DNA sequence: CCTATTCTGTAACGATCGATACATAATTAT
DNA sequence: ATAATTATGTATCGATCGTTACAGAATAGG
């Protein structure tokens, strides 16, 4: 049974969400246990009992981030009727999400732990894997468009996916520098201008 | 006179260069005094006597980085005969520089200190200012092309500068993920496809 | 009731952080 | 030679890092 013993006095899901925001704003290295416990409203023994370690807490926070913050962006990619609308929607959702002022700007997965180090090998590895998955999702969506005849057979899906993924990563840094929604949309429009040239005049 | 007293037993410029590489690889937060003194081959009192503090050392390292590593990229922007070649050269130089394997990948100014914090306010502010200057340099080059008649009067220089600066920032993260030179060139080609669409068929 | 189990707050652990005090060594000025 | 000045190495500073020992509080099963 898991109902024995003294019951937890805080909401685990809510505490995780607050921890996610701290990591999002300060990165893995920059978030101290003091920062985390203060934001979560608990003491460190409770944190360790519930989540295991700072590293494990971060990994859970990343998972929550992917499920909550990333869903709008990536569902747009899959559900849009054409590849062009998929990419445009993907970038537009990104511009919208990254410029919200009620949360940290930019992407936790892109900015959370860029400097690999001995102590944070797992963290960097996990984030890198997720960034690679995002790249793959973009490439798959473009490959689908080729299979459906929307894009030419010789369309370079991998290169195009690399380009759009890179643009999104750049938007994270841009957002961290305080870029407004319209500034981010300038980048989106630039990227979509590239689409026109890459996909040919018929697309 | 500055020649009195016991002479310094290490080469200040060489030590600064080594410190720059440490900051470049690990970021400001991730670089400890132990990391720095070990790489510089000196003890901490010598570091403080020569550079003042970790923060001051970082600011000097950033300045050295701008002068040494950034010159190729930004001189290309200014010296290319047309705006198209300027942007293409700017991005191509970036792809080349970011994929060198004998130094850390990506840009120190873009990745050195993304998470603003109370303790590193000056650091973030300095990097942000330098990123803004880069954006301005791009915008100015495009404005020059408008003045020279290469680009149409209604060409949106600011938005285009934002787009290309964002692409370059994204390339830093891409490079940190181990992107090869050809992968970075895929992004460059994508961005230049955007140029074709933005500048019109006559460019 | 009692026991077992789990969580909570206090308090502290060893390690490392950035930064220095201090005595000594090495140089110039007089 | 002596004084003045500056750098070096050792050794350490207080603060903070991530983490945990421990005793008491709160629940369930018996």
């Amino acid at each position: 049974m898991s109902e024995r013993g003294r019951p937890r006095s805080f909401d685990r899901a809510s505490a995780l969400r607050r921890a996610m925001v701290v990591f999002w704003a300060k990165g893995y290295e920059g978030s101290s246990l003091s920062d985390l416990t203060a934001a979560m409203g608990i003491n460190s023994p409770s944190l360790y009992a519930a989540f295991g370690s700072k590293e494990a807490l971060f990994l859970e926070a990343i998972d929550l981030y992917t499920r909550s913050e990333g869903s709008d962006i990536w569902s747009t990619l899959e559900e849009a009727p054409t590849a062009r609308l998929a990419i445009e929607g993907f970038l537009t959702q990104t511009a919208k999400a990254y410029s919200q002022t009620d949360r940290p700007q930019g992407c936790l997965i892109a900015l959370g732990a860029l400097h690999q180090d001995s102590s944070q090998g797992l963290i960097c590895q996990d984030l890198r894997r997720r960034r690679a998955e995002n790249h793959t999702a973009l490439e798959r969506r473009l490959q689908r468009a080729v299979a459906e005849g929307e894009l030419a057979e010789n369309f370079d899906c991998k290169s195009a996916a690399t380009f759009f993924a890179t643009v999104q990563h750049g938007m994270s840094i841009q957002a961290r520098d305080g870029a407004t929604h319209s500034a981010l949309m300038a980048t989106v429009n630039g990227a979509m201008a590239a689409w026109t040239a890459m996909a040919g005049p018929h697309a």
Side-chain angles (χ1 to χ4, degrees), chain A:
Chain A
M1 293 302 117
S2 63
E3 299 173 349
R4 289 204 306 188
R6 180 174 176 173
R8 186 177 286 127
S9 66
F10 62 93
D11 180 24
R12 191 183 189 279
S14 163
L16 177 60
R17 206 174 319 121
R18 289 163 187 254
M20 176 190 77
V21 174
V22 173
F23 283 130
W24 194 355
K26 302 191 165 193
Y28 179 74
E29 289 179 310
S31 302
S32 70
L33 261 292
S34 301
D35 294 330
L36 292 165
T37 54
M40 299 164 86
I42 60 178
N43 295 114
S44 42
S46 297
L47 188 154
Y48 279 85
F51 299 101
S53 67
K54 182 188 176 186
E55 194 173 70
L57 174 62
F58 183 81
L59 294 175
E60 269 202 66
I62 291 295
D63 206 65
L64 171 61
Y65 179 86
T66 301
R67 283 183 285 108
S68 61
E69 306 294 327
S71 60
D72 283 353
I73 292 174
W74 296 99
S75 65
T76 300
L77 183 75
E78 301 298 335
E79 294 164 9
T82 69
R84 188 193 211 291
L85 289 171
I87 296 293
E88 188 171 28
F90 157 79
L91 291 175
T92 301
Q93 289 287 340
T94 295
K96 180 181 171 189
Y98 287 10
S99 59
Q100 300 277 35
T101 55
D102 61 342
R103 68 199 73 175
Q105 284 85 19
C107 175
L108 172 54
I109 293 174
L111 305 176
L114 281 166
H115 306 290
Q116 68 177 336
D117 193 274
S118 57
S119 69
Q120 50 176 298
L122 287 178
I123 301 295
C124 281
Q125 193 175 337
D126 187 75
L127 292 181
R128 200 168 288 195
R129 180 181 57 79
R130 292 185 126 95
R131 288 194 291 266
E133 282 175 3
N134 291 347
H135 181 280
T136 301
L138 284 167
E139 187 178 352
R140 287 237 171 82
R141 183 61 187 85
L142 295 171
Q143 286 170 338
R144 196 180 99 194
V146 170
E148 290 170 350
E150 180 188 350
L151 292 171
E153 281 290 339
N154 65 346
F155 185 88
D156 190 342
C157 296
K158 182 180 280 289
S159 291
T162 297
F163 170 66
F164 291 114
T166 302
V167 168
Q168 193 197 28
H169 291 155
M171 288 170 71
S172 274
I173 297 180
Q174 201 186 347
R176 268 304 148 98
D177 280 354
T180 62
H181 179 260
S182 71
L184 289 166
M185 283 306 296
T187 295
V188 174
N189 293 333
M192 292 314 295
W195 176 277
T196 304
M198 290 188 303
H202 62 281

